[in-house]
Amino acid sequence: MISLGCAKNLVDAEVMLGGVAAHGMELTSNAEEADVLIVNTCAFIDSAKEESIEAILQAHQDRGLRKKAGQKLIVSGCMAQRFSKELQNDIPEVDAFIGLDQVADAASIVRQVLARPGPSPQEKQLADADWEPLNLVTRKPVYIPDFDTPRVRLTPPHTAFTKIAEGCNHPCSFCVIPQMRGKHRSRTIDSVVQEVRNLVAEGVREINLISQDTTYFGMDLWSEKAGPRAQVDSSRGPTLTRLLRELNAIDGDFWIRLLYTHPAHWSDELIACIADCPKVARYIDMPLQHIHPRMLELMRRETSSEHIENLITRIRAGIPDIAIRTTFIVGFPGETEEEFEYLLDFIQRTRFERLGIFTYSQEEGSRAAKMDGQLPPKVKQARYRKAMKLQQKIAGQLSKAHVGRTVRAIVDTPLVARGVADAPDIDGRILLSQPAPVGEFINVHITGTQVYDLLGTPLPA
């Protein structure tokens, strides 16, 4: 299995591997041994699509050099879901394409592919050959895993991703995720709680809650009687607030980390909930994309600059020591130099603890792709560099403020740990001066910085 893209895609990969393992198949990290190769693709932006295509072609090229006869190649994930017909024509060497609704059926699909005679070398070269790849992709996905869905976790034993919902109902003009992953569909609270309880019992110390929009959790499950008031009254329907409180009540010493929230769906109740729940990490991931009013309108972000600024003020006031992570898009169609400077001023004033920048990617099928005012790559790259230079300066200043403090951290490798303000894979690290037990919480005395990373000495337990 080669899995690309985000944590949500990683969970899909874990479910596929769990399914094949549950049906008695052996997993191997050695491609030389494999009867089947699976490339789990991403198609979020142009660079992700290019990486996915390269991985597919490389996997096909490599299997041609191996001694393993009849090795099969399956392509899954967002790229297969979105472009299976085009890929079927462009890369006929693939044996099967599966979409997001087929991840739980990976075992039966593997058997189907293995039982199917492959094309002869002559057929591969003939444009009119009768043989063609299996295309099992269905449109408008509806699948979502449950607590008892078999999984083979690909993360370190002490950390895990729990997908609480799938799909997205937001109309963002730059994004095609709703077209790929379908409408938002939440799991039940009981299902998520049971999964987390099982993970904690296995020794997991960090639960990362993920979906396209975690703050939308439960809204699709509201009864007509409950209505929209359920958003601020967790007793009247399933909400993220109620979920967090039930997860916080699970016995054990672990973090609950909240990723992929949307500013339009935050409430004072959610802020109070995080402040009240000691196991919920003082960390939120809230992609804002822009702050200029016209850009937010063109991006169809369903919120305003005034709402965003007020929300950040309320979050920081209501949750002491909170670390806010966000991302912005620069170079959106029609973005003027003044609007970009407006964004820089906001970044300078707000001083986000964690921040990432994307250059706008013109995604086929999105509203923004058809807009006038598409900016040249050199302008987008220049704005990216300028924004990241500013954030690097801010990050350095924020990091230096930690020197001399003691922080609680989780140990990823003997000499690398992460504090509560750092999510796995995307944020900074604490580089330890001496080894510490992997997977355990420790206290670290911060002694120095390396811009985004901290330096520290583990303290005796």
Side-chain angles (χ1 to χ4, degrees), residues 441-456:
F441 288 117
I442 62 170
N443 289 323
V444 183
H445 180 70
I446 304 303
T447 58
T449 70
Q450 288 186 356
V451 185
Y452 295 111
D453 295 332
L454 300 175
L455 308 176

Side-chain angles (χ1 to χ4, degrees), residues 99-411:
L100 302 174
D101 270 347
Q102 288 77 50
V103 295
D105 300 324
S108 62
I109 293 169
V110 165
R111 285 200 164 91
Q112 184 179 351
V113 169
L114 286 172
R116 187 177 188 233
S120 67
Q122 292 79 16
E123 285 178 315
K124 288 183 180 180
Q125 297 175 9
L126 294 174
D128 59 348
D130 291 334
W131 189 93
E132 61 180 21
L134 283 175
N135 190 337
L136 304 174
V137 178
T138 55
R139 296 300 167 188
K140 297 183 179 179
V142 296
Y143 173 75
I144 187 168
D146 205 348
F147 74 92
D148 56 355
T149 301
R151 277 173 64 184
V152 172
R153 287 198 290 115
L154 299 173
T155 52
H158 58 277
T159 186
F161 292 101
T162 293
K163 186 184 289 189
I164 65 174
E166 181 59 278
C168 184
N169 288 1
H170 290 293
C172 302
S173 62
F174 52 82
C175 184
V176 293
I177 285 177
Q179 299 173 36
M180 290 188 289
R181 290 193 169 263
K183 291 184 177 181
H184 180 99
R185 47 204 185 274
S186 301
R187 292 169 59 181
T188 65
I189 287 179
D190 288 345
S191 174
V192 177
V193 170
Q194 186 59 55
E195 178 180 329
V196 172
R197 186 176 285 116
N198 293 343
L199 290 169
V200 172
E202 294 171 8
V204 174
R205 296 298 191 94
E206 180 180 45
I207 305 294
N208 300 281
L209 303 182
I210 60 172
S211 70
Q212 301 301 327
D213 174 9
T214 52
T215 38
Y216 202 88
F217 174 80
M219 292 187 188
D220 56 314
L221 302 178
W222 294 346
S223 67
E224 292 184 6
K225 183 177 180 180
R229 284 188 61 190
Q231 182 175 6
V232 294
D233 184 357
S234 60
S235 65
R236 302 186 64 187
T239 63
L240 179 61
T241 297
R242 182 177 155 202
L243 173 64
L244 290 177
R245 291 192 182 279
E246 294 203 21
L247 295 179
N248 186 74
I250 295 173
D251 290 337
D253 186 12
F254 62 96
W255 281 339
I256 304 163
R257 191 179 295 278
L258 192 58
L259 300 174
Y260 308 117
T261 72
H262 192 292
H265 301 306
W266 274 80
S267 65
D268 289 336
E269 185 188 27
L270 178 56
I271 294 171
C273 171
I274 295 173
D276 290 344
C277 294
K279 292 176 184 174
V280 178
R282 273 30 183 181
Y283 171 102
I284 59 168
D285 171 54
M286 184 171 61
L288 297 176
Q289 313 305 7
H290 216 285
I291 191 61
H292 192 277
R294 193 178 78 93
M295 286 291 101
L296 291 172
E297 183 177 355
L298 288 176
M299 290 180 175
R300 304 187 77 192
R301 287 292 290 164
E302 302 178 305
T303 188
S304 67
S305 56
E306 291 82 4
H307 171 82
I308 291 171
E309 297 216 33
N310 177 264
L311 175 60
I312 292 171
T313 300
R314 285 158 45 213
I315 288 173
R316 284 179 164 167
I319 312 173
D321 300 320
I322 190 72
I324 301 177
R325 173 176 179 75
T326 193
T327 54
F328 293 108
I329 296 173
V330 297
F332 189 80
E335 182 189 49
T336 65
E337 189 64 33
E338 290 74 18
E339 288 164 341
F340 172 64
E341 291 293 334
Y342 190 96
L343 171 61
L344 292 183
D345 177 70
F346 175 65
I347 293 172
Q348 177 69 58
R349 288 186 290 107
T350 310
R351 296 174 63 80
F352 291 97
E353 287 77 11
R354 304 289 182 264
L355 183 146
I357 299 290
F358 286 99
T359 57
Y360 168 73
S361 178
Q362 189 174 5
E363 292 303 306
E364 178 185 349
S366 68
R367 287 175 175 266
K370 303 174 184 177
M371 289 181 178
D372 295 332
Q374 301 288 334
L375 300 179
K378 65 178 183 180
V379 171
K380 292 189 281 189
Q381 285 298 322
R383 292 180 181 178
Y384 167 84
R385 290 191 295 270
K386 189 171 183 178
M388 287 308 301
K389 183 178 180 180
L390 171 60
Q391 179 58 23
Q392 186 178 63
K393 177 182 177 182
I394 294 170
Q397 293 169 347
L398 294 175
S399 292
K400 288 179 181 178
H402 283 82
V403 175
R405 298 180 184 176
T406 296
V407 301
R408 193 170 191 241
I410 192 166
V411 183

